[in-house]
Amino acid sequence: MTNNIYFIANWKMYGSTSSLNSLNKLINLSKLKKYNKAKIIYFPPFTLINDFIKKFSKSKISVGGQNCHQHEDYGSFTGSISPKMLKDLGCQFVILGHSENRTLGESDHVINKKIRSALNKNLKIIFCIGETLKEKRKKATHSVLRKQINRGLKGVKNCQNILIAYEPVWSIGSGLIPKSEALEINVRKIRKLISKKTKFKLPILYGGSVNSQNITSLKNITGISGFLIGSASQSSKKFIDIIKKTIN
Ligand code: PEP
């Protein structure tokens, strides 16, 4: 990994205002020259976005939303947050297509609409793709990735603001990670599929049970520009450990 290395912290539906104190060490680390390449982006729950933005205001750590509505502006959508609102708060990123939302019924078509809306509001996208265990067993991984990429990016012009997060669904929260060889094959496949959509070399990240032990092998996977980290990112110590072991 030579250029920017992304460390995405997805806090899911966890965290309270008292969680902010644990971030001081990470802020200090992010200012060290040694970690210049580390692009750290936090995705707290909506309730904490404002606090996180203030907390990181004197650092290079960015903040994003874990999802957004497909309608880019204001509208009568109770309980929803639009790209305009995320932008207004100071978010630079949004995660779209996360399997935890796909499982709740979010279709490729809706994800495509969300991607277009968020890009229109100048948000950068972490676009999540990945196969379920059933699809992996049926050897359908590549066809699933093709479908998710083709449908998700249909008609999307400014792809340079998209980062791809390859997250095998069976790996998220399970403690399991793919075998290195299989992961490299899938990353190569994603690269090929993306190259048919855009001339830009979009960063491809890996997500799924990344921790401070398995990072020593994951960091050697060819073609990966960083990691999307769920549960391990909720502990500042574990998250810092992952960054330190990746850039040493
Ligand atoms: C995720 O939230 O996308 C994720 C990869 O979670 P975990 O690291 O807990 O598997």
Side-chain angles (χ1 to χ4, degrees):
M1 282 192 265
T2 46
N3 301 319
N4 288 337
I5 306 174
Y6 293 88
F7 296 93
I8 311 285
N10 176 18
W11 272 25
K12 311 190 189 219
M13 200 171 71
Y14 292 97
S16 64
T17 45
S18 63
S19 316
L20 291 152
N21 298 330
S22 68
L23 300 167
N24 294 334
K25 281 197 180 133
L26 181 81
I27 294 174
N28 293 338
L29 174 126
S30 74
K31 291 178 180 164
L32 300 177
K33 202 165 161 225
K34 178 173 181 186
Y35 298 103
N36 260 351
K37 287 197 296 189
K39 300 294 161 209
I40 303 169
I41 313 164
Y42 263 79
F43 292 85
F46 291 128
T47 50
L48 293 177
I49 287 179
N50 209 16
D51 292 320
F52 270 63
I53 285 178
K54 282 190 199 143
K55 183 83 186 171
F56 292 144
S57 62
K58 291 196 176 67
S59 78
K60 291 179 302 180
I61 304 175
S62 310
V63 179
Q66 293 176 17
N67 200 355
C68 66
H69 196 269
Q70 67 209 56
H71 186 80
E72 67 186 60
D73 229 300
Y74 297 132
S76 298
F77 301 103
T78 304
S80 299
I81 307 282
S82 70
K84 181 186 174 87
M85 290 164 153
L86 290 179
K87 197 68 194 173
D88 179 53
L89 275 177
C91 287
Q92 295 173 37
F93 290 85
V94 63
I95 295 177
L96 294 174
H98 195 283
S99 68
E100 284 156 14
N101 294 320
R102 289 181 188 264
T103 311
L104 292 177
E106 201 175 72
S107 66
D108 290 315
H109 178 65
V110 167
I111 293 164
N112 175 256
K113 282 188 171 176
K114 290 185 176 190
I115 290 177
R116 287 156 173 258
S117 293
L119 288 174
N120 280 345
K121 288 294 170 199
N122 291 320
L123 287 164
K124 295 195 174 99
I125 318 285
I126 310 293
F127 173 36
C128 300
I129 54 174
E131 79 285 3
T132 62
L133 187 58
K134 197 169 162 201
E135 290 160 342
K136 175 174 144 56
R137 284 187 175 143
K138 282 201 312 204
K139 303 206 182 314
T141 299
H142 289 186
S143 64
V144 168
L145 296 175
R146 184 181 304 111
K147 185 175 66 96
Q148 290 175 337
I149 288 171
N150 287 346
R151 292 183 182 173
L153 297 183
K154 191 172 174 201
V156 175
K157 298 247 158 38
N158 34 353
C159 280
Q160 69 270 34
N161 288 329
I162 298 176
L163 295 86
I164 308 292
Y166 172 50
E167 301 207 289
V169 181
W170 52 271
S171 177
I172 297 175
S174 66
L176 304 171
I177 59 167
K179 293 205 173 80
S180 299
E181 202 190 332
L183 182 49
E184 285 188 348
I185 290 172
N186 292 348
V187 169
R188 268 205 305 278
K189 180 69 188 175
I190 292 167
R191 172 68 58 219
K192 206 168 161 195
L193 292 166
I194 295 291
S195 71
K196 290 183 184 151
K197 290 267 154 205
T198 174
K199 62 179 191 322
F200 296 103
K201 195 164 184 280
L202 308 186
I204 300 173
L205 320 179
Y206 168 76
S209 292
V210 176
N211 62 36
S212 44
Q213 282 86 50
N214 59 29
I215 192 66
T216 46
S217 65
L218 285 171
K219 74 172 190 177
N220 294 320
I221 300 294
T222 310
I224 282 178
S225 303
F227 304 97
L228 198 164
I229 303 151
S231 66
S233 72
Q234 286 155 35
S235 148
S236 239
K237 188 184 169 319
K238 287 182 187 165
F239 193 56
I240 286 175
D241 245 29
I242 291 172
I243 298 173
K244 283 186 171 170
K245 284 184 179 166
T246 308
I247 305 173
N248 55 18

